[in-house]
Amino acid sequence: MTDPKGNAPNEDEPQVEGDATNAAEPEDLIEAEGPDVEVPTDGPAAGGPATDVANDLSPEDQALLDDAARGIQEDKLSDTDRDLVAEMRADMLRAQAELVNFRKRVERDREANREVAIAEVVRALLPALDDLTRAEAHGDLAEGPMQVIGQKIRGGFDKFKLVQIGEKGEAFDPNIHEAIVQLPTPGATGQTVADVVEPGYKLGERVLRAAKVAVAVPA
C-alpha cells in the first residue's frame, strides 16, 4: 500500500498500533483498600490448591482467573501483569470471604430472632397451658371434645420442644427453681424440692419460666 504521494512505506520503520501514551504505567494503578481479612496465600495464583472461598467464585470469574493462570504458565504475561493478576485474585478472594462471613452472620441472626419470637409466643400461652393442666388433673379432659383439643394444644407445644421442669424430690437449682417458701425438715441434709406449686417450662435451653416450689431445708 502506498502513501498519498505514491511512495511505498519503509518496511524497516517500526509500526506502532494504538496510542502508546495512553498505556497505564504500574505506578498509576491505585490499590483498592478493604478490611483486614485473612486471605489464603496458597491459592491457584500462587500455585497452591484452591480454597473453599475460591470454590465459591462465579463461573465467569473463575474462567477469567483460569485464563490468566494459563497465560502466566505459558510466559505470555510480563512481570507487571503477573503481579496485577495476583493482586486481582487476592481482592476477589477477600471480597468473597466477606460475602461468606456476611451470609453466616445473617443466618445466625435470623435463627436467633426466630428463637426469640417463638419463645415470646409460647411464654404468652403458658397461662392457658396451666389451665389445661389443672383441668386435666380434675378429670375434665377425660372424655369429650375437650380431650381432643387438649391433645392438639399439647402436640403444638411439643413441636417446639417445650419441656416442663420442676419435680418433687429433686435438688433445688436456682437456675430453674423459684423458692417461694422454705420448710425446715428434720433429717434434711440439703435443699430439695418438697412440693411444686407451679411448674416451670424450658424451650430448648432457654428457661421460659422457673418452677415455683417449696424447698425443704435442714431444721
Side-chain angles (χ1 to χ4, degrees), residues 146-191:
M146 289 302 299
Q147 182 182 14
V148 178
I149 294 175
Q151 291 174 353
K152 291 183 178 180
I153 293 176
R154 291 188 181 278
F157 285 118
D158 292 340
K159 179 181 178 181
F160 294 105
K161 299 180 180 180
L162 182 67
V163 178
Q164 181 175 315
I165 55 177
E167 295 290 340
K168 184 178 179 179
E170 65 184 5
F172 175 77
D173 184 353
N175 295 317
I176 61 174
H177 298 138
E178 179 184 350
I180 59 176
V181 63
Q182 291 185 347
L183 303 176
T185 305
T189 58
Q191 295 182 340

mmCIF file of all heavy atoms in Angstrom, residues 146-191:
data_model
loop_
_atom_site.group_PDB
_atom_site.id
_atom_site.type_symbol
_atom_site.label_atom_id
_atom_site.label_comp_id
_atom_site.label_asym_id
_atom_site.label_seq_id
_atom_site.Cartn_x
_atom_site.Cartn_y
_atom_site.Cartn_z
ATOM 1 N N MET A 146 -63.118 -31.780 74.478
ATOM 2 C CA MET A 146 -62.030 -31.074 75.149
ATOM 3 C C MET A 146 -60.781 -31.940 75.250
ATOM 4 O O MET A 146 -59.667 -31.423 75.288
ATOM 5 C CB MET A 146 -62.482 -30.627 76.535
ATOM 6 C CG MET A 146 -63.497 -29.492 76.523
ATOM 7 S SD MET A 146 -62.869 -28.022 75.661
ATOM 8 C CE MET A 146 -61.455 -27.633 76.673
ATOM 9 N N GLN A 147 -60.968 -33.234 75.309
ATOM 10 C CA GLN A 147 -59.806 -34.123 75.358
ATOM 11 C C GLN A 147 -58.998 -34.030 74.065
ATOM 12 O O GLN A 147 -57.764 -33.955 74.084
ATOM 13 C CB GLN A 147 -60.263 -35.564 75.586
ATOM 14 C CG GLN A 147 -59.100 -36.556 75.690
ATOM 15 C CD GLN A 147 -59.587 -37.990 75.866
ATOM 16 O OE1 GLN A 147 -60.767 -38.275 75.649
ATOM 17 N NE2 GLN A 147 -58.683 -38.872 76.254
ATOM 18 N N VAL A 148 -59.699 -33.998 72.945
ATOM 19 C CA VAL A 148 -59.029 -33.882 71.648
ATOM 20 C C VAL A 148 -58.353 -32.521 71.518
ATOM 21 O O VAL A 148 -57.215 -32.406 71.031
ATOM 22 C CB VAL A 148 -60.027 -34.108 70.507
ATOM 23 C CG1 VAL A 148 -59.343 -33.944 69.150
ATOM 24 C CG2 VAL A 148 -60.671 -35.481 70.620
ATOM 25 N N ILE A 149 -59.047 -31.483 71.972
ATOM 26 C CA ILE A 149 -58.472 -30.137 71.901
ATOM 27 C C ILE A 149 -57.218 -30.054 72.757
ATOM 28 O O ILE A 149 -56.193 -29.477 72.347
ATOM 29 C CB ILE A 149 -59.518 -29.094 72.350
ATOM 30 C CG1 ILE A 149 -60.683 -29.054 71.375
ATOM 31 C CG2 ILE A 149 -58.875 -27.706 72.466
ATOM 32 C CD1 ILE A 149 -61.814 -28.147 71.803
ATOM 33 N N GLY A 150 -57.270 -30.629 73.955
ATOM 34 C CA GLY A 150 -56.107 -30.619 74.825
ATOM 35 C C GLY A 150 -54.933 -31.343 74.206
ATOM 36 O O GLY A 150 -53.774 -30.896 74.310
ATOM 37 N N GLN A 151 -55.196 -32.459 73.545
ATOM 38 C CA GLN A 151 -54.111 -33.214 72.899
ATOM 39 C C GLN A 151 -53.484 -32.411 71.761
ATOM 40 O O GLN A 151 -52.255 -32.424 71.585
ATOM 41 C CB GLN A 151 -54.662 -34.541 72.377
ATOM 42 C CG GLN A 151 -55.060 -35.522 73.468
ATOM 43 C CD GLN A 151 -55.727 -36.771 72.919
ATOM 44 O OE1 GLN A 151 -56.025 -36.856 71.709
ATOM 45 N NE2 GLN A 151 -55.962 -37.751 73.774
ATOM 46 N N LYS A 152 -54.302 -31.697 71.009
ATOM 47 C CA LYS A 152 -53.769 -30.889 69.909
ATOM 48 C C LYS A 152 -52.927 -29.728 70.438
ATOM 49 O O LYS A 152 -51.884 -29.395 69.865
ATOM 50 C CB LYS A 152 -54.915 -30.368 69.044
ATOM 51 C CG LYS A 152 -55.625 -31.448 68.245
ATOM 52 C CD LYS A 152 -56.704 -30.860 67.362
ATOM 53 C CE LYS A 152 -57.376 -31.923 66.529
ATOM 54 N NZ LYS A 152 -58.442 -31.373 65.654
ATOM 55 N N ILE A 153 -53.390 -29.114 71.524
ATOM 56 C CA ILE A 153 -52.626 -27.994 72.091
ATOM 57 C C ILE A 153 -51.278 -28.481 72.606
ATOM 58 O O ILE A 153 -50.225 -27.866 72.337
ATOM 59 C CB ILE A 153 -53.431 -27.317 73.213
ATOM 60 C CG1 ILE A 153 -54.672 -26.620 72.636
ATOM 61 C CG2 ILE A 153 -52.556 -26.312 73.967
ATOM 62 C CD1 ILE A 153 -55.570 -26.010 73.688
ATOM 63 N N ARG A 154 -51.286 -29.592 73.321
ATOM 64 C CA ARG A 154 -50.023 -30.133 73.825
ATOM 65 C C ARG A 154 -49.112 -30.585 72.680
ATOM 66 O O ARG A 154 -47.894 -30.430 72.752
ATOM 67 C CB ARG A 154 -50.296 -31.300 74.771
ATOM 68 C CG ARG A 154 -50.949 -30.874 76.086
ATOM 69 C CD ARG A 154 -51.010 -32.033 77.054
ATOM 70 N NE ARG A 154 -51.657 -31.640 78.304
ATOM 71 C CZ ARG A 154 -51.055 -31.012 79.287
ATOM 72 N NH1 ARG A 154 -49.769 -30.683 79.158
ATOM 73 N NH2 ARG A 154 -51.706 -30.695 80.399
ATOM 74 N N GLY A 155 -49.721 -31.115 71.622
ATOM 75 C CA GLY A 155 -48.918 -31.507 70.462
ATOM 76 C C GLY A 155 -48.239 -30.315 69.802
ATOM 77 O O GLY A 155 -47.102 -30.416 69.337
ATOM 78 N N GLY A 156 -48.953 -29.180 69.789
ATOM 79 C CA GLY A 156 -48.335 -27.975 69.240
ATOM 80 C C GLY A 156 -47.155 -27.502 70.056
ATOM 81 O O GLY A 156 -46.121 -27.097 69.516
ATOM 82 N N PHE A 157 -47.267 -27.589 71.384
ATOM 83 C CA PHE A 157 -46.136 -27.212 72.239
ATOM 84 C C PHE A 157 -44.977 -28.201 72.096
ATOM 85 O O PHE A 157 -43.804 -27.803 72.112
ATOM 86 C CB PHE A 157 -46.587 -27.149 73.705
ATOM 87 C CG PHE A 157 -47.402 -25.926 74.033
ATOM 88 C CD1 PHE A 157 -48.716 -26.035 74.471
ATOM 89 C CD2 PHE A 157 -46.853 -24.665 73.908
ATOM 90 C CE1 PHE A 157 -49.461 -24.911 74.782
ATOM 91 C CE2 PHE A 157 -47.592 -23.529 74.208
ATOM 92 C CZ PHE A 157 -48.901 -23.657 74.643
ATOM 93 N N ASP A 158 -45.310 -29.473 71.953
ATOM 94 C CA ASP A 158 -44.250 -30.480 71.787
ATOM 95 C C ASP A 158 -43.476 -30.261 70.491
ATOM 96 O O ASP A 158 -42.289 -30.590 70.412
ATOM 97 C CB ASP A 158 -44.851 -31.885 71.796
ATOM 98 C CG ASP A 158 -45.416 -32.265 73.161
ATOM 99 O OD1 ASP A 158 -45.012 -31.636 74.164
ATOM 100 O OD2 ASP A 158 -46.261 -33.180 73.222
ATOM 101 N N LYS A 159 -44.144 -29.725 69.483
ATOM 102 C CA LYS A 159 -43.480 -29.459 68.207
ATOM 103 C C LYS A 159 -42.309 -28.512 68.382
ATOM 104 O O LYS A 159 -41.291 -28.620 67.691
ATOM 105 C CB LYS A 159 -44.491 -28.891 67.211
ATOM 106 C CG LYS A 159 -43.923 -28.558 65.851
ATOM 107 C CD LYS A 159 -44.983 -27.985 64.939
ATOM 108 C CE LYS A 159 -44.405 -27.609 63.582
ATOM 109 N NZ LYS A 159 -45.445 -27.025 62.689
ATOM 110 N N PHE A 160 -42.444 -27.568 69.311
ATOM 111 C CA PHE A 160 -41.368 -26.608 69.566
ATOM 112 C C PHE A 160 -40.468 -27.049 70.726
ATOM 113 O O PHE A 160 -39.672 -26.266 71.227
ATOM 114 C CB PHE A 160 -41.970 -25.230 69.867
ATOM 115 C CG PHE A 160 -42.683 -24.619 68.703
ATOM 116 C CD1 PHE A 160 -44.071 -24.580 68.664
ATOM 117 C CD2 PHE A 160 -41.982 -24.103 67.632
ATOM 118 C CE1 PHE A 160 -44.740 -24.028 67.589
ATOM 119 C CE2 PHE A 160 -42.637 -23.546 66.554
ATOM 120 C CZ PHE A 160 -44.023 -23.513 66.517
ATOM 121 N N LYS A 161 -40.625 -28.312 71.146
ATOM 122 C CA LYS A 161 -39.772 -28.921 72.182
ATOM 123 C C LYS A 161 -39.896 -28.187 73.515
ATOM 124 O O LYS A 161 -38.889 -27.906 74.183
ATOM 125 C CB LYS A 161 -38.317 -28.960 71.721
ATOM 126 C CG LYS A 161 -38.099 -29.773 70.460
ATOM 127 C CD LYS A 161 -36.637 -29.788 70.039
ATOM 128 C CE LYS A 161 -36.454 -30.610 68.761
ATOM 129 N NZ LYS A 161 -35.024 -30.634 68.343
ATOM 130 N N LEU A 162 -41.129 -27.892 73.900
ATOM 131 C CA LEU A 162 -41.383 -27.294 75.205
ATOM 132 C C LEU A 162 -41.328 -28.401 76.260
ATOM 133 O O LEU A 162 -41.987 -29.431 76.126
ATOM 134 C CB LEU A 162 -42.751 -26.623 75.228
ATOM 135 C CG LEU A 162 -43.134 -25.911 76.528
ATOM 136 C CD1 LEU A 162 -42.246 -24.698 76.744
ATOM 137 C CD2 LEU A 162 -44.607 -25.496 76.494
ATOM 138 N N VAL A 163 -40.539 -28.181 77.300
ATOM 139 C CA VAL A 163 -40.325 -29.194 78.333
ATOM 140 C C VAL A 163 -40.724 -28.610 79.681
ATOM 141 O O VAL A 163 -40.331 -27.483 80.025
ATOM 142 C CB VAL A 163 -38.848 -29.646 78.368
ATOM 143 C CG1 VAL A 163 -38.629 -30.672 79.479
ATOM 144 C CG2 VAL A 163 -38.450 -30.225 77.014
ATOM 145 N N GLN A 164 -41.503 -29.386 80.447
ATOM 146 C CA GLN A 164 -41.878 -28.961 81.792
ATOM 147 C C GLN A 164 -40.744 -29.266 82.760
ATOM 148 O O GLN A 164 -40.104 -30.317 82.690
ATOM 149 C CB GLN A 164 -43.150 -29.694 82.239
ATOM 150 C CG GLN A 164 -43.636 -29.293 83.622
ATOM 151 C CD GLN A 164 -44.967 -29.947 83.970
ATOM 152 O OE1 GLN A 164 -45.883 -29.969 83.142
ATOM 153 N NE2 GLN A 164 -45.079 -30.462 85.186
ATOM 154 N N ILE A 165 -40.472 -28.337 83.659
ATOM 155 C CA ILE A 165 -39.399 -28.506 84.647
ATOM 156 C C ILE A 165 -39.976 -28.311 86.043
ATOM 157 O O ILE A 165 -40.976 -27.616 86.228
ATOM 158 C CB ILE A 165 -38.236 -27.519 84.402
ATOM 159 C CG1 ILE A 165 -38.752 -26.075 84.380
ATOM 160 C CG2 ILE A 165 -37.510 -27.836 83.115
ATOM 161 C CD1 ILE A 165 -37.669 -25.032 84.218
ATOM 162 N N GLY A 166 -39.320 -28.932 87.017
ATOM 163 C CA GLY A 166 -39.765 -28.844 88.407
ATOM 164 C C GLY A 166 -40.419 -30.138 88.839
ATOM 165 O O GLY A 166 -41.562 -30.401 88.472
ATOM 166 N N GLU A 167 -39.690 -30.971 89.588
ATOM 167 C CA GLU A 167 -40.209 -32.249 90.067
ATOM 168 C C GLU A 167 -39.982 -32.350 91.577
ATOM 169 O O GLU A 167 -38.929 -31.941 92.084
ATOM 170 C CB GLU A 167 -39.519 -33.420 89.363
ATOM 171 C CG GLU A 167 -39.791 -33.510 87.862
ATOM 172 C CD GLU A 167 -41.217 -33.903 87.551
ATOM 173 O OE1 GLU A 167 -41.877 -34.474 88.454
ATOM 174 O OE2 GLU A 167 -41.673 -33.645 86.421
ATOM 175 N N LYS A 168 -40.947 -32.890 92.253
ATOM 176 C CA LYS A 168 -40.844 -33.082 93.696
ATOM 177 C C LYS A 168 -39.710 -34.064 94.006
ATOM 178 O O LYS A 168 -39.596 -35.111 93.390
ATOM 179 C CB LYS A 168 -42.168 -33.610 94.249
ATOM 180 C CG LYS A 168 -42.192 -33.762 95.760
ATOM 181 C CD LYS A 168 -43.557 -34.237 96.224
ATOM 182 C CE LYS A 168 -43.601 -34.416 97.740
ATOM 183 N NZ LYS A 168 -44.951 -34.865 98.199
ATOM 184 N N GLY A 169 -38.873 -33.705 94.990
ATOM 185 C CA GLY A 169 -37.779 -34.567 95.409
ATOM 186 C C GLY A 169 -36.444 -34.269 94.755
ATOM 187 O O GLY A 169 -35.408 -34.756 95.216
ATOM 188 N N GLU A 170 -36.400 -33.458 93.695
ATOM 189 C CA GLU A 170 -35.126 -33.157 93.060
ATOM 190 C C GLU A 170 -34.405 -32.034 93.808
ATOM 191 O O GLU A 170 -35.009 -31.282 94.577
ATOM 192 C CB GLU A 170 -35.341 -32.747 91.603
ATOM 193 C CG GLU A 170 -36.114 -31.468 91.400
ATOM 194 C CD GLU A 170 -36.375 -31.177 89.931
ATOM 195 O OE1 GLU A 170 -36.032 -32.031 89.091
ATOM 196 O OE2 GLU A 170 -36.932 -30.105 89.632
ATOM 197 N N ALA A 171 -33.106 -31.956 93.607
ATOM 198 C CA ALA A 171 -32.300 -30.937 94.284
ATOM 199 C C ALA A 171 -32.702 -29.547 93.797
ATOM 200 O O ALA A 171 -33.002 -29.344 92.608
ATOM 201 C CB ALA A 171 -30.825 -31.182 94.016
ATOM 202 N N PHE A 172 -32.698 -28.608 94.741
ATOM 203 C CA PHE A 172 -33.079 -27.238 94.389
ATOM 204 C C PHE A 172 -31.984 -26.611 93.522
ATOM 205 O O PHE A 172 -30.801 -26.650 93.845
ATOM 206 C CB PHE A 172 -33.283 -26.417 95.665
ATOM 207 C CG PHE A 172 -33.567 -24.964 95.392
ATOM 208 C CD1 PHE A 172 -34.819 -24.556 94.973
ATOM 209 C CD2 PHE A 172 -32.578 -24.008 95.573
ATOM 210 C CE1 PHE A 172 -35.083 -23.219 94.714
ATOM 211 C CE2 PHE A 172 -32.830 -22.673 95.322
ATOM 212 C CZ PHE A 172 -34.089 -22.281 94.892
ATOM 213 N N ASP A 173 -32.402 -26.030 92.401
ATOM 214 C CA ASP A 173 -31.500 -25.366 91.465
ATOM 215 C C ASP A 173 -32.043 -23.967 91.202
ATOM 216 O O ASP A 173 -33.106 -23.815 90.583
ATOM 217 C CB ASP A 173 -31.400 -26.154 90.159
ATOM 218 C CG ASP A 173 -30.393 -25.555 89.192
ATOM 219 O OD1 ASP A 173 -29.859 -24.455 89.464
ATOM 220 O OD2 ASP A 173 -30.130 -26.189 88.146
ATOM 221 N N PRO A 174 -31.354 -22.940 91.659
ATOM 222 C CA PRO A 174 -31.882 -21.566 91.466
ATOM 223 C C PRO A 174 -32.003 -21.162 90.002
ATOM 224 O O PRO A 174 -32.671 -20.169 89.694
ATOM 225 C CB PRO A 174 -30.861 -20.693 92.208
ATOM 226 C CG PRO A 174 -29.620 -21.516 92.266
ATOM 227 C CD PRO A 174 -30.059 -22.939 92.357
ATOM 228 N N ASN A 175 -31.354 -21.907 89.103
ATOM 229 C CA ASN A 175 -31.447 -21.578 87.684
ATOM 230 C C ASN A 175 -32.798 -21.969 87.092
ATOM 231 O O ASN A 175 -33.234 -21.370 86.094
ATOM 232 C CB ASN A 175 -30.326 -22.269 86.904
ATOM 233 C CG ASN A 175 -28.954 -21.755 87.294
ATOM 234 O OD1 ASN A 175 -28.762 -20.556 87.455
ATOM 235 N ND2 ASN A 175 -28.003 -22.658 87.449
ATOM 236 N N ILE A 176 -33.452 -22.966 87.677
ATOM 237 C CA ILE A 176 -34.725 -23.424 87.126
ATOM 238 C C ILE A 176 -35.837 -23.419 88.171
ATOM 239 O O ILE A 176 -36.994 -23.660 87.832
ATOM 240 C CB ILE A 176 -34.597 -24.834 86.521
ATOM 241 C CG1 ILE A 176 -34.187 -25.836 87.598
ATOM 242 C CG2 ILE A 176 -33.620 -24.838 85.361
ATOM 243 C CD1 ILE A 176 -34.171 -27.271 87.100
ATOM 244 N N HIS A 177 -35.492 -23.174 89.438
ATOM 245 C CA HIS A 177 -36.492 -23.167 90.511
ATOM 246 C C HIS A 177 -36.594 -21.784 91.140
ATOM 247 O O HIS A 177 -35.587 -21.069 91.257
ATOM 248 C CB HIS A 177 -36.133 -24.179 91.613
ATOM 249 C CG HIS A 177 -36.098 -25.599 91.132
ATOM 250 N ND1 HIS A 177 -35.110 -26.485 91.515
ATOM 251 C CD2 HIS A 177 -36.922 -26.276 90.299
ATOM 252 C CE1 HIS A 177 -35.331 -27.654 90.948
ATOM 253 N NE2 HIS A 177 -36.426 -27.555 90.205
ATOM 254 N N GLU A 178 -37.800 -21.438 91.535
ATOM 255 C CA GLU A 178 -38.037 -20.211 92.307
ATOM 256 C C GLU A 178 -38.649 -20.626 93.646
ATOM 257 O O GLU A 178 -39.786 -21.104 93.693
ATOM 258 C CB GLU A 178 -38.983 -19.281 91.559
ATOM 259 C CG GLU A 178 -39.294 -18.006 92.317
ATOM 260 C CD GLU A 178 -40.309 -17.131 91.610
ATOM 261 O OE1 GLU A 178 -40.638 -17.420 90.432
ATOM 262 O OE2 GLU A 178 -40.789 -16.163 92.240
ATOM 263 N N ALA A 179 -37.869 -20.452 94.726
ATOM 264 C CA ALA A 179 -38.333 -20.859 96.058
ATOM 265 C C ALA A 179 -39.288 -19.810 96.607
ATOM 266 O O ALA A 179 -38.913 -18.649 96.802
ATOM 267 C CB ALA A 179 -37.142 -21.054 96.991
ATOM 268 N N ILE A 180 -40.522 -20.224 96.843
ATOM 269 C CA ILE A 180 -41.498 -19.291 97.406
ATOM 270 C C ILE A 180 -41.674 -19.516 98.912
ATOM 271 O O ILE A 180 -42.236 -18.667 99.602
ATOM 272 C CB ILE A 180 -42.851 -19.422 96.691
ATOM 273 C CG1 ILE A 180 -43.408 -20.839 96.822
ATOM 274 C CG2 ILE A 180 -42.689 -19.044 95.218
ATOM 275 C CD1 ILE A 180 -44.785 -20.991 96.204
ATOM 276 N N VAL A 181 -41.182 -20.638 99.405
ATOM 277 C CA VAL A 181 -41.252 -20.918 100.837
ATOM 278 C C VAL A 181 -40.194 -21.958 101.184
ATOM 279 O O VAL A 181 -39.871 -22.829 100.363
ATOM 280 C CB VAL A 181 -42.653 -21.413 101.257
ATOM 281 C CG1 VAL A 181 -42.982 -22.743 100.573
ATOM 282 C CG2 VAL A 181 -42.767 -21.556 102.761
ATOM 283 N N GLN A 182 -39.640 -21.849 102.392
ATOM 284 C CA GLN A 182 -38.677 -22.834 102.896
ATOM 285 C C GLN A 182 -39.300 -23.587 104.064
ATOM 286 O O GLN A 182 -39.871 -22.981 104.973
ATOM 287 C CB GLN A 182 -37.376 -22.157 103.333
ATOM 288 C CG GLN A 182 -36.561 -21.586 102.183
ATOM 289 C CD GLN A 182 -35.222 -21.032 102.636
ATOM 290 O OE1 GLN A 182 -34.994 -20.856 103.836
ATOM 291 N NE2 GLN A 182 -34.342 -20.784 101.688
ATOM 292 N N LEU A 183 -39.162 -24.911 104.025
ATOM 293 C CA LEU A 183 -39.755 -25.760 105.048
ATOM 294 C C LEU A 183 -38.643 -26.455 105.826
ATOM 295 O O LEU A 183 -38.011 -27.381 105.290
ATOM 296 C CB LEU A 183 -40.681 -26.802 104.407
ATOM 297 C CG LEU A 183 -41.814 -26.264 103.535
ATOM 298 C CD1 LEU A 183 -42.571 -27.412 102.891
ATOM 299 C CD2 LEU A 183 -42.741 -25.383 104.344
ATOM 300 N N PRO A 184 -38.363 -26.011 107.069
ATOM 301 C CA PRO A 184 -37.355 -26.717 107.880
ATOM 302 C C PRO A 184 -37.812 -28.160 108.104
ATOM 303 O O PRO A 184 -38.915 -28.421 108.592
ATOM 304 C CB PRO A 184 -37.323 -25.917 109.180
ATOM 305 C CG PRO A 184 -37.866 -24.569 108.821
ATOM 306 C CD PRO A 184 -38.892 -24.811 107.762
ATOM 307 N N THR A 185 -36.973 -29.086 107.714
ATOM 308 C CA THR A 185 -37.329 -30.500 107.754
ATOM 309 C C THR A 185 -36.274 -31.271 108.526
ATOM 310 O O THR A 185 -35.093 -31.240 108.141
ATOM 311 C CB THR A 185 -37.459 -31.070 106.333
ATOM 312 O OG1 THR A 185 -38.402 -30.282 105.593
ATOM 313 C CG2 THR A 185 -37.921 -32.518 106.360
ATOM 314 N N PRO A 186 -36.639 -31.970 109.601
ATOM 315 C CA PRO A 186 -35.670 -32.783 110.341
ATOM 316 C C PRO A 186 -35.089 -33.873 109.441
ATOM 317 O O PRO A 186 -35.805 -34.531 108.684
ATOM 318 C CB PRO A 186 -36.498 -33.393 111.486
ATOM 319 C CG PRO A 186 -37.659 -32.469 111.639
ATOM 320 C CD PRO A 186 -37.964 -31.977 110.261
ATOM 321 N N GLY A 187 -33.804 -34.045 109.541
ATOM 322 C CA GLY A 187 -33.134 -35.074 108.750
ATOM 323 C C GLY A 187 -32.722 -34.625 107.368
ATOM 324 O O GLY A 187 -32.005 -35.362 106.666
ATOM 325 N N ALA A 188 -33.144 -33.460 106.926
ATOM 326 C CA ALA A 188 -32.745 -32.974 105.601
ATOM 327 C C ALA A 188 -31.285 -32.559 105.609
ATOM 328 O O ALA A 188 -30.823 -31.889 106.531
ATOM 329 C CB ALA A 188 -33.628 -31.792 105.194
ATOM 330 N N THR A 189 -30.551 -32.999 104.623
ATOM 331 C CA THR A 189 -29.117 -32.683 104.533
ATOM 332 C C THR A 189 -28.828 -31.587 103.511
ATOM 333 O O THR A 189 -27.705 -31.101 103.427
ATOM 334 C CB THR A 189 -28.336 -33.941 104.144
ATOM 335 O OG1 THR A 189 -28.836 -34.443 102.888
ATOM 336 C CG2 THR A 189 -28.477 -35.012 105.216
ATOM 337 N N GLY A 190 -29.777 -31.237 102.727
ATOM 338 C CA GLY A 190 -29.584 -30.194 101.720
ATOM 339 C C GLY A 190 -30.914 -29.597 101.330
ATOM 340 O O GLY A 190 -31.955 -29.876 101.945
ATOM 341 N N GLN A 191 -30.902 -28.789 100.312
ATOM 342 C CA GLN A 191 -32.128 -28.157 99.828
ATOM 343 C C GLN A 191 -32.728 -29.008 98.707
ATOM 344 O O GLN A 191 -32.105 -29.225 97.667
ATOM 345 C CB GLN A 191 -31.841 -26.746 99.316
ATOM 346 C CG GLN A 191 -31.364 -25.787 100.407
ATOM 347 C CD GLN A 191 -31.129 -24.385 99.859
ATOM 348 O OE1 GLN A 191 -30.956 -24.180 98.663
ATOM 349 N NE2 GLN A 191 -31.115 -23.409 100.743
#
